Amino acid sequence: MKISIIIPTYNEEEFLPNLLTSIQRQGFDDMEVIIADAHSADKTVEIAESFGCKVVPGGLPATGRNNGAAVAEGELLLFLDADSVLTNNYISSAIEEFELHNLGIAITQIVPLEKGFINQISHELANYLTKQISHIKPHGAGCYGILTYKSLHEKVGGFDETIDFGEDTDYIERIGKISRFKVLDNPRLLISTRRLEEEGLKDISIKYAKSTAKQLVGKKVTLEELDYSFEHGVNIKKNRIFYSLCGEGLGHAIRSAVVIEYLINEGFDLIVFASDRAYQYLSNKFENVYEIGGFNTVYEDNRVRNKKTFVYNMKDVPSDLKNNINKMYKLARKFKPDLIISDFEFYANLLSHILRIPLLSIDNMHVITEAKYDSPNRYTKDKIFAEAVVHAFIQKADRTLIYSYFYPPLKNQDTTKYVYPIIRDEIFALKPRNGKHVLVYQTSDSNKQLIELLKNNPEQEFIVYGFHKDERDENVLFRSFQEEQLFNDFKDAKCVISNGGFSLITEALQLGKPVLSIPVNKQYEQILNAMFLERLGYGEHHDQINQTILDNFMKNIEVYKKNISENYHKNSDNKETLETLKETINELMYNN
């Protein structure tokens, strides 16, 4: 007697191979396997085809089972869930007992795939209650496996596709009214405890008790009533991300806020890690933001002090390493991320290698190591040091995306790609005009000489951010960081004087504002940004500022504005970059 095994699927690449392997091991020749797939986004269909299964369109379980039965060639139909596994001789044993008792429909008893006292007791209790209820009326669920004749399936019109929950119980009851029903004694079906793990024993017990009670008195129950979902795949299993970012400055945090909001809106489940100012910024915008210790740079007189930076950070590294990894590791065991994204954050990189979770690096720093370009000899030591830092922070990412407004050739285009800079929606919405003030934005408050120079130009108004105060000193107006105020000052500025911070430069260029860049000394990432800013004709790069440099820059503002207008690639939104990010995420999730 030929049997057709019908399995509804939706993103079941983790469980389906085990079930199909167990079917192959049955040693039962006269059978076929039909997969009714509900547009899985993972490798479910590919796996099914590799096992020689028929594949038909699916949907909710009732639709999938009916579609499978419609093409079935077997006299008997066996409906299984994708996260089950057949025990040895399951099919032969089930058919033998089915025929022995002259049954029209039957279900089998279940055993948990995952061991443990709670699992075993809860499943034995479920078996006992199902058998007891069957003495009152035919009753069961698809997770027990449903065995029936195709002729009876067709006689009752198959599963009722208008029912979104309990369609399996309804199906058993309708066939049970015109034939004999039994819970089989011998065959055992191994089933996954993922639903139990996802919702907890108490919640899942309440839901099934509520549904069973209603079904016993002939009432219907819906998915909405039970807050129940069939979507184990996209919404549960394959969308969990650890997102970790560098906490120094606000550039990483500002662009990460855009990325995080997008990923949440796209249905991804995120836990975010950040330190210092980035943590403060993001924790006010999102839930599930955790504070970790991070690395900080020591600045003096607009210069990076590498030795002091090393000594300063080494004091905290042992405790940070222990605390950060412990915190991340514990959350990872509970959250089970499918992917780790790092915006130049060191500890997430370590965690990805410890847990062997794919790592996606997305930052502007990797242009230092991943691109081919010329750099003046005076910066050689700074470049070597910066390359060492980048290599130390991120090792062997599975994919690397580089935010950039300049595009020197990449060394490895297979795993590395440029993307356009992330710009805040508030910046896109601004309508810039040519005001009278100069916006001055500093990475640190260590450049005292700059302030003295600005004060020596009383005919010009300067608005200065980065010194963490609100006060006026002659023609220099200091402002502490407030986004709305900064946006207004930004859009009305005639030009910008800054270090070489990537986010500030790209936002200035988006608004058409020329930039005079004075990178923090020995901060090679800023130096590189400033070098290409000047090479592209969007502003000037100098190691220090004096009156002559300031005068020449102000004199050439209109030239730089024209270059920006004619040559800089302006976007109206972040769509292209974010879609590239999503494509890369999906590629890493479903290919690993």
Side-chain angles (χ1 to χ4, degrees), residues 511-565:
L511 296 174
K513 310 293 183 182
V515 180
L516 172 56
S517 180
I518 316 296
V520 173
N521 192 266
K522 293 189 173 299
Q523 210 332 346
Y524 186 74
E525 180 254 331
Q526 291 194 4
I527 292 169
L528 187 61
N529 293 334
M531 280 168 39
F532 277 93
L533 176 82
E534 182 168 286
R535 292 178 186 180
L536 293 167
Y538 303 153
E540 296 182 15
H541 162 218
H542 298 281
D543 293 333
Q544 58 185 5
I545 190 170
N546 56 39
Q547 189 63 52
T548 301
I549 289 172
L550 180 60
D551 290 342
N552 288 337
F553 172 71
M554 299 297 289
K555 184 172 63 176
N556 290 306
I557 283 178
E558 294 306 316
V559 176
Y560 302 138
K561 283 185 178 180
K562 183 180 179 183
N563 291 339
I564 296 169
S565 176

Side-chain angles (χ1 to χ4, degrees), residues 112-123:
L113 270 169
E114 292 79 8
K115 301 301 181 183
F117 178 76
I118 296 297
N119 287 340
Q120 291 175 322
I121 290 297
S122 61
H123 284 69

Side-chain angles (χ1 to χ4, degrees), residues 13 16-18 20-21 24 33 35 43-55:
E13 66 173 9
L16 187 59
N18 294 329
L20 296 180
T21 300
Q24 284 185 339
V33 180
I35 302 297
K43 295 182 179 179
T44 296
V45 171
E46 181 181 334
I47 291 167
E49 291 173 342
S50 72
F51 277 84
C53 304
K54 289 183 183 178
V55 179

Side-chain angles (χ1 to χ4, degrees), residues 203-216:
D203 287 348
I204 202 69
S205 298
I206 291 173
K207 289 179 181 181
Y208 281 115
K210 181 179 179 180
S211 66
T212 300
K214 284 198 169 189
Q215 289 162 348
L216 283 175

Side-chain angles (χ1 to χ4, degrees), residues 482-504:
Q482 292 180 335
E483 281 190 323
E484 187 173 348
Q485 183 64 64
L486 174 59
F487 295 150
N488 288 328
D489 292 337
F490 217 158
K491 75 178 180 64
D492 294 337
K494 67 168 68 173
C495 60
V496 175
I497 298 175
S498 180
N499 303 118
F502 178 81
S503 294
L504 194 281

